[in-house]
Amino acid sequence: MSLHANAYTANVSETLLPTLSREDICDLFPGPEHFIRRKAIWNLFHKEQEQGQQAASPNQENSLNGRGLATVQVNPCVSETDQPRNPTPPRPDVQETLDPSRTLQLPNPEYVVYTDSELEHFRKQYFEMQRVGQEGGCTLSKELRCRLVRNTVTNMVSIIRATTTEFMYPSKNDVQAMAKRLVEYYPLLRDNTVNCKHTWELLFKQLMKRLHNIKTPKRRQGPTPQRQRKRRRLDFECSHGDSNTSISESAGSTASTVILDRTRSSTSSLDGRNSPAEIIDQREEAAEDLGVHSGTDSQQSQARHYRTLQEMYKRPKPNKEAVAQLLDLEFDARRAFINSDTLRDQDRPANILQAYPCFKEVDHVMDELRRILDRSNPDFISDLKTRWESFYCKAQFYGVFKKVLRPPTTQDKVTRCIAMMKALPEMFPSPVALPKKLDHASETMVHVLEPTENPNTYLQRRPIFSPVLIICDSNCMLAIGSTPVTTFPKENIDTGVLYLLAYYYTFHLTYPKCLATLLSILQTEVLQDAIHDRDATSSYKKALSAWKKFIGE
């Protein structure tokens, strides 16, 4: 079998023989019997090339490191005039590109040219095809090009950051010089299209794009520096000169312990509605002044959660689950702000809703009630509704027994619930007289609008500041004082009393004296939240005793 026969069978012309590697020649002439022939073919075309590589090997060893990275140094002018390594002039038809200068001198730092076995193989194949004038058919795959760009930028960033403590990046001139040297070292990267002025322009754009996609690592932030501005202190002294009320003394009862007569005066009360920035400052100051420290989150973290909550409510439809999670994380600072005396009772609902618009939704208010009373119980709301249904059924018979409620025979659900809410203040009466312009005690918690009555007009002339349910033909509205808060479907009126209690707790409102006995009974019997001994009035004890006697406890 002759040389020409095998080459003809494999469609290999004589012009392609110089481009074949050792593996290609071994595939063309397999077997030990063709060993001498393979060696003769290799020596015929590659003898001069091996001699040139041996002469250049000392310089290459100095410029290559153990990971296949060629050192690149660049001068300040980004000059690329390279000194020839071989004193013998190159052949006019073949460039001496197998051993180009791999040094490019920059003042600081010294970069490296990335290379590996696959890139070196394609580079060598390009030069072999260039000898026969077919270098146009040798192109670098997309995967190898991306690898070269990615690793080159990574090496440049790593080297420049190794020389300084700052998170610095290579300059545009550095990247341009590296693109020129890469095109010189890998000629198959040249872009000869008419759209590019330079052969290295496309590679330069790819390197810059990769550089811009690198994310700067964030430094660990230390503690927030102390702000040098005067803090507003809270005054907890009673106006009648009584002993000071400390936080530790009131820690034994829950946040919604009944205070029948609030006589504290706030030295920092504000007139009217505050701006959002002032509310944020008041919220943060209340948390710091009251010494709130959460076991899971710091004050800085809770402030960040609050700002995230504010941003979420700038969207049309905030995610309820995400809002509930943020409210859990920010609970301590929020309660410190709401429970403090920085707000007057008349301004409290508007300012709290401005700071926490999520409380316009009854679901979040009920969830806040759970956090206050039993934060670790995920089934608190369902258990609460069960207790309310049991209390509601017993209260129907108790109302009939006290002759303040008619037997519910043919009444529908809405009518029965309205009748029950109107009768509850008479079942558990308070000895305090009603405010003027109120004909019945039930007006302090529920009002049914007349067909021609305007709800806004009713709220403006309402003489008492407390949560109230306003029932109209289509739905129910819950308001606090003269501020409308939320609406809910009329079908959910059976849980309206629970909504009222939830707003008392969430907004830290004082029970009105004319309704204190009823709300205290609901607090202990439905919410199962014990009240302080000083809040257990004689009317409350009498009403509770009569109720326990009726239900047989």
Side-chain angles (χ1 to χ4, degrees):
M1 181 168 49
S2 64
L3 171 64
H4 293 284
N6 273 20
Y8 179 78
T9 304
N11 295 326
V12 177
S13 62
E14 294 182 0
T15 58
L16 289 180
L17 286 176
T19 65
L20 298 180
S21 62
R22 293 182 185 272
E23 292 79 6
D24 297 336
I25 297 176
C26 187
D27 293 339
L28 188 62
F29 301 101
E33 64 274 9
H34 297 291
F35 174 74
I36 301 299
R37 179 171 295 172
R38 292 195 298 267
K39 185 175 182 180
I41 295 174
W42 179 261
N43 292 336
L44 179 62
F45 297 104
H46 299 83
K47 185 176 182 180
E48 296 180 359
Q49 176 182 337
E50 290 181 350
Q51 292 177 354
Q53 291 180 351
Q54 291 176 2
S57 59
N59 293 333
Q60 292 181 359
E61 290 177 358
N62 293 333
S63 60
L64 288 176
N65 58 21
R67 292 176 296 176
L69 299 177
T71 302
V72 177
Q73 303 174 350
V74 191
N75 59 20
C77 300
V78 198
S79 173
E80 298 186 21
T81 58
D82 302 323
Q83 299 296 330
R85 296 175 180 269
N86 194 347
T88 306
R91 295 170 52 184
D93 56 339
V94 179
Q95 299 178 359
E96 193 67 25
T97 50
L98 283 177
D99 184 31
S101 176
R102 297 178 182 175
T103 59
L104 202 68
Q105 191 69 33
L106 277 174
N108 187 32
E110 183 179 282
Y111 295 116
V112 294
V113 170
Y114 176 79
T115 182
D116 57 22
S117 57
E118 292 187 64
L119 290 170
E120 287 294 335
H121 173 71
F122 272 91
R123 178 172 176 268
K124 183 179 179 181
Q125 182 180 359
Y126 174 84
F127 294 141
E128 291 173 351
M129 297 183 66
Q130 188 185 38
R131 296 171 63 93
V132 295
Q134 297 182 3
E135 66 275 11
C138 182
T139 57
L140 200 63
S141 64
K142 182 178 179 181
E143 179 184 357
L144 285 178
R145 178 183 282 266
C146 292
R147 183 197 304 175
L148 176 63
V149 171
R150 181 175 61 252
N151 292 334
T152 297
V153 174
T154 301
N155 291 340
M156 294 180 70
V157 173
S158 300
I159 290 172
I160 195 171
R161 288 183 180 175
T163 60
T164 178
T165 58
E166 300 294 333
F167 294 129
M168 297 181 62
Y169 292 95
S171 64
K172 185 176 180 180
N173 291 335
D174 294 350
V175 178
Q176 182 177 340
M178 178 60 73
K180 293 179 181 179
R181 182 45 52 92
L182 286 175
V183 169
E184 179 183 350
Y185 190 76
Y186 299 105
L188 62 166
L189 294 175
R190 293 173 180 170
D191 185 14
N192 297 320
T193 59
V194 296
N195 295 329
C196 295
K197 297 181 181 180
H198 307 285
T199 57
W200 47 265
E201 186 174 348
L202 178 60
L203 182 61
F204 170 71
K205 292 179 180 179
Q206 292 174 343
L207 291 173
M208 291 299 297
K209 183 178 180 180
R210 174 61 185 173
L211 184 63
H212 291 159
N213 289 337
I214 296 179
K215 293 183 178 180
T216 302
K218 294 183 178 180
R219 291 183 178 273
R220 176 177 294 181
Q221 295 182 356
T224 304
Q226 184 70 23
R227 288 173 289 185
Q228 300 298 327
R229 65 186 180 90
K230 187 176 180 180
R231 292 292 184 181
R232 183 184 296 115
R233 307 303 298 178
L234 302 181
D235 185 9
F236 289 94
E237 296 182 357
C238 296
S239 59
H240 297 290
D242 297 338
S243 60
N244 295 339
T245 304
S246 63
I247 302 173
S248 59
E249 293 175 352
S250 61
S253 59
T254 61
S256 293
T257 299
V258 181
I259 303 175
L260 296 181
D261 186 12
R262 173 173 293 188
T263 58
R264 297 180 198 164
S265 62
S266 173
T267 59
S268 58
S269 299
L270 304 179
D271 296 331
R273 179 178 296 188
N274 298 345
S275 65
E278 292 175 342
I279 288 179
I280 294 175
D281 290 341
Q282 292 175 16
R283 177 195 161 280
E284 294 178 353
E285 290 171 6
E288 294 181 8
D289 292 339
L290 291 176
V292 173
H293 295 281
S294 174
T296 57
D297 261 355
S298 64
Q299 295 179 13
Q300 291 81 6
S301 299
Q302 295 194 23
R304 184 173 65 253
H305 297 324
Y306 173 73
R307 291 183 176 87
T308 304
L309 183 65
Q310 290 291 313
E311 292 296 327
M312 291 183 64
Y313 267 86
K314 293 179 181 179
R315 306 172 187 172
K317 294 182 179 180
N319 189 315
K320 284 191 174 182
E321 295 181 358
V323 172
Q325 184 178 8
L326 288 173
L327 290 175
D328 287 338
L329 297 173
E330 199 254 348
F331 175 76
D332 293 330
R334 179 173 65 258
R335 298 317 307 171
F337 164 67
I338 294 177
N339 297 346
S340 65
D341 285 348
T342 58
L343 302 175
R344 296 186 308 177
D345 285 348
Q346 291 78 6
D347 304 327
R348 182 181 297 270
N351 284 324
I352 292 178
L353 290 176
Q354 188 178 3
Y356 295 96
C358 54
F359 290 149
K360 294 181 180 179
E361 303 176 26
V362 291
D363 293 337
H364 290 308
V365 175
M366 294 294 290
D367 208 20
E368 184 76 359
L369 178 65
R370 174 191 64 81
R371 296 187 191 96
I372 296 172
L373 295 181
D374 196 354
R375 190 173 182 179
S376 60
N377 183 11
D379 301 325
F380 172 80
I381 296 178
S382 59
D383 296 342
L384 175 62
K385 291 182 178 180
T386 302
R387 292 195 299 269
W388 166 246
E389 291 176 0
S390 175
F391 180 87
Y392 182 88
C393 294
K394 296 175 182 178
Q396 285 182 326
F397 294 99
Y398 188 60
V400 174
F401 170 75
K402 298 197 71 174
K403 299 180 181 180
V404 295
L405 188 66
R406 294 181 180 180
T409 54
T410 59
Q411 298 175 343
D412 58 359
K413 174 183 175 180
V414 176
T415 306
R416 287 199 308 269
C417 291
I418 295 175
M420 171 61 70
M421 285 189 286
K422 287 185 176 182
L424 280 174
E426 296 183 8
M427 297 182 197
F428 308 99
S430 296
V432 181
L434 294 175
K436 296 181 180 180
K437 299 182 181 179
L438 283 184
D439 299 332
H440 196 273
S442 62
E443 289 289 325
T444 57
M445 60 182 301
V446 63
H447 177 74
V448 181
L449 284 179
E450 299 295 336
T452 59
E453 192 174 9
N454 189 344
N456 293 327
T457 304
Y458 167 76
L459 291 177
Q460 293 297 328
R461 61 180 176 83
R462 188 166 177 261
I464 189 171
F465 183 86
S466 63
V468 62
L469 283 177
I470 300 178
I471 303 172
C472 60
D473 296 336
S474 57
N475 59 5
C476 299
M477 181 178 69
L478 194 149
I480 301 177
S482 59
T483 305
V485 178
T486 186
T487 59
F488 59 91
K490 204 171 183 178
E491 293 76 15
N492 298 339
I493 193 174
D494 54 337
T495 56
V497 175
L498 296 182
Y499 294 158
L500 289 174
L501 291 174
Y503 274 99
Y504 271 107
Y505 273 70
T506 301
F507 285 24
H508 194 64
L509 300 174
T510 304
Y511 292 165
K513 294 182 179 181
C514 60
L515 206 61
T517 302
L518 169 62
L519 296 179
S520 300
I521 294 290
L522 294 177
Q523 175 178 329
T524 54
E525 297 300 306
V526 180
L527 301 183
Q528 292 186 352
D529 181 24
I531 65 176
H532 201 278
D533 291 339
R534 68 177 180 224
D535 298 323
T537 60
S538 57
S539 60
Y540 163 74
K541 295 177 181 178
K542 181 178 178 180
L544 182 62
S545 176
W547 168 256
K548 294 288 187 180
K549 183 178 180 180
F550 177 80
I551 62 177
E553 292 185 4

